[in-house]
Amino acid sequence: MGITVPAHSEPRARGPLPPQIPSLDGLRAVSFLIVFVAHSGITGGIVPGGFGVTVFFFLSGYLITTLMRFERETTGAVNVRHFYLRRVLRILPPFYLVLLLAMALVLLHALPGQLQLRTVMAQMLHVSNYWFIWHGSDGSPVGTVPFWSLAVEEHFYLLFPMLYLLLARGLSNRGQATAIWTLCAVICAWRCVLVLGFGVSEDRTYMGSDTRFDSILFGCALAIGLNPVLDPETGGERLWKHVLFPAGLAILLTTFLYRAPWFRETIRYTLQGIGLTPLFVAAIRFPKWAPFRFLNTRTMAFAGLLSYTLYLIHQVALYWAEFWFPAFSPLARAPLALGVSFLIAIAIHHWIEKPAARMRRRLAR
């Protein structure tokens, strides 16, 4: 989940440093909290946890494409080998560690459930989203079903660097963004065909890479065509604050309130991508504005730094709290699970992610 590299990117071995992006760590923290609150059960399903995943996707596309575009515009090229190297060392160590931890807890009967080799292998090979669609999640370590979203991202980033370089070779930035927005429309149409023409299940459109790539692509298009940290400012402050930002919120609110099944799995993701675009621009351009000031506090930045591992571990911690403290209410278990999630995320950050970052820098030289 876009969710996948720090907003303040590590220094490169050579070349200029990428720009710092205000509010992005805070947005990452908010995305995680939306997912956590939804999974904790304390709101009775009111909080749309799936929207938190959509924000993660959008953020991932925006951040990674911003870094790729900056690299290309400052060095004249994108080192694809280094891109994949950085991604492998950033994403895989925490992913496999949390998966193995969840498996161990099940085998030790510290968590309920049973493991099935084929299901676990699907998770390890990053095809769990389609496995869950076709076979269900039985046999996965309890709390690891959210890993399907990591599979979507891995599929996306296997392909996107080549698409970006192909578009950048022959199109202006605006032309590239238009091409990506057109691809988003094509994916929306594909969802409509699947839902309205073939009546597929909600899992098919919610988890499928081919039906969710547009949630990442909307962020990519913003990074290329209207990037608030790389492009000249477009539109005045009043336009963004008093027209476009409220319009984006209104679009998002509509997608939360209108809950018809056909709408939820066809154009909802498209409208959310459209609604998130002015929200991200305003948050990045106006970080000291009252609605966004809290995103740039140290607390939110710290939570955003840990958000990837928090996302990986949070549902395992929630199931652990439920298993060991069944008499507790969801409202009592949630803070316990959140605290455990932070402790594990901090440990992984210091003992896994920091050494991996140093290795990335050494290998990049």
Side-chain angles (χ1 to χ4, degrees):
M1 347 100 313
I3 59 177
T4 56
V5 296
H8 299 83
S9 177
E10 69 204 37
R12 296 167 184 260
R14 297 183 180 88
L17 297 179
Q20 293 187 347
I21 306 176
S23 302
L24 214 60
D25 278 328
L27 286 167
R28 197 197 322 263
V30 169
S31 303
F32 162 71
L33 290 172
I34 292 172
V35 175
F36 179 85
V37 170
H39 286 165
S40 70
I42 61 179
T43 63
I46 296 176
V47 174
F51 176 66
V53 176
T54 299
V55 177
F56 268 134
F57 282 157
F58 187 106
L59 191 153
S60 173
Y62 170 74
L63 177 55
I64 291 181
T65 308
T66 294
L67 296 177
M68 292 177 64
R69 178 183 163 190
F70 179 81
E71 180 181 359
R72 179 177 175 273
E73 292 180 354
T74 55
T75 69
V78 174
N79 191 319
V80 176
R81 183 174 67 87
H82 285 180
F83 173 87
Y84 288 123
L85 176 65
R86 290 192 299 268
R87 185 160 185 85
V88 164
L89 290 174
R90 166 62 177 152
I91 298 300
L92 298 189
F95 174 85
Y96 286 120
L97 180 60
V98 173
L99 182 59
L100 291 173
L101 174 62
M103 292 169 60
L105 290 174
V106 172
L107 292 173
L108 294 172
H109 305 292
L111 281 177
Q114 294 182 335
L115 303 180
Q116 295 179 9
L117 178 60
R118 293 186 301 173
T119 305
V120 173
M121 288 301 299
Q123 291 181 293
M124 288 187 169
L125 297 174
H126 298 285
V127 292
S128 59
N129 58 333
Y130 286 109
W131 181 270
F132 293 160
I133 291 168
W134 296 326
H135 303 286
S137 60
D138 290 346
S140 62
V142 65
T144 63
V145 170
F147 290 7
W148 68 265
S149 61
L150 273 297
V152 173
E153 284 207 347
E154 292 309 293
H155 302 164
F156 181 84
Y157 289 114
L158 281 175
L159 302 172
F160 181 72
M162 305 306 172
L163 174 64
Y164 172 71
L165 292 175
L166 179 64
L167 293 176
R169 181 174 299 178
L171 296 174
S172 65
N173 286 339
R174 180 166 296 183
Q176 296 170 50
T178 300
I180 292 175
W181 281 318
T182 301
L183 186 55
C184 290
V186 171
I187 295 172
C188 178
W190 174 234
R191 280 197 302 268
C192 291
V193 169
L194 290 175
V195 173
L196 303 178
F198 296 95
V200 301
S201 68
E202 180 176 336
D203 283 348
R204 172 66 183 87
T205 47
Y206 181 63
M207 295 185 180
S209 297
D210 58 313
T211 52
R212 293 308 306 273
F213 274 179
D214 58 332
S215 294
I216 308 175
L217 285 168
F218 271 108
C220 300
L222 173 61
I224 296 173
L226 196 65
N227 198 318
V229 296
L230 295 181
D231 292 319
E233 293 184 356
T234 301
E237 182 174 339
R238 296 186 63 180
L239 174 66
W240 284 104
K241 287 184 175 181
H242 303 303
V243 179
L244 298 178
F245 173 64
L249 289 180
I251 292 172
L252 294 177
L253 183 61
T254 300
T255 67
F256 302 151
L257 296 178
Y258 188 62
R259 306 183 66 84
W262 72 267
F263 170 81
R264 286 170 54 82
E265 296 308 312
T266 54
I267 63 174
R268 175 179 56 152
Y269 302 122
T270 301
L271 291 176
Q272 287 179 347
I274 294 171
L276 284 172
T277 298
L279 188 151
F280 267 69
V281 172
I284 295 168
R285 276 189 60 178
F286 314 113
K288 295 182 180 180
W289 188 30
F292 303 125
R293 197 174 299 145
F294 79 102
L295 295 175
N296 297 279
T297 61
R298 289 187 177 183
T299 300
M300 294 299 287
F302 180 67
L305 178 67
L306 302 177
S307 61
Y308 172 54
T309 307
L310 287 171
Y311 180 79
L312 291 174
I313 195 65
H314 80 279
Q315 199 167 49
V316 177
L318 284 167
Y319 276 110
W320 170 85
E322 182 180 1
F323 183 68
W324 285 97
F325 303 97
F328 286 17
S329 68
L331 192 59
R333 289 195 297 264
L336 175 62
L338 186 61
V340 170
S341 298
F342 265 94
L343 289 175
I344 295 174
I346 290 170
I348 291 176
H349 176 66
H350 283 287
W351 294 332
I352 303 297
E353 293 182 317
K354 282 188 173 181
R358 290 193 293 269
M359 184 180 298
R360 291 199 301 269
R361 289 194 289 270
R362 286 198 301 269
L363 293 176
R365 297 189 184 102

